[in-house]
Amino acid sequence: MTGLDAWYAFMTSHDHKALWDLLHPDAVFESPVVHSPQRGRDITFKYLASAEKVLGGPGFTYVGEWRSDSGAVLEFKTQIDGIEINGVDIITFDDEGRITNFKVMVRPLKAINMLHRLMAEQLAAAQS
């Protein structure tokens, strides 16, 4: 199973242990709403697990995929509270198939603003 296959499996299973195992210890997460990259498995896991809860509902679907030797760009779409969300996940994998970098880009602006609020709520709930 490739790293990308493991990512798709996580998005289907929602198995947080599988997500943890997929992340390199030095993984970096780059958010569309946080200026600085979030470094390390712990924080990357928190962001990705929270994003999966916020975005990964029944309407979430990947609609495009572009692969390279070390990663992929996955275009997604979903709808939350009547707002159409379109974005891309840019994922880089190491030679063992673990995620080393995960960058998310989202449009339109009203979707980014809503996701900023929802992600802040989800991350705060995860701290409790």
Side-chain angles (χ1 to χ4, degrees), residues 25-75:
D26 297 324
V28 175
F29 180 80
E30 296 180 75
S31 165
V33 296
V34 177
H35 176 71
S36 59
Q38 305 301 299
R39 299 183 185 282
R41 180 187 277 164
D42 289 337
I43 192 72
T44 298
F45 175 83
K46 287 178 187 175
Y47 271 90
L48 289 175
S50 293
E52 182 267 329
K53 286 184 181 178
V54 169
L55 289 167
F60 181 91
T61 185
Y62 282 115
V63 295
E65 176 185 298
W66 298 267
R67 294 181 185 216
S68 72
D69 291 340
S70 62
V73 176
L74 308 176
E75 181 182 5

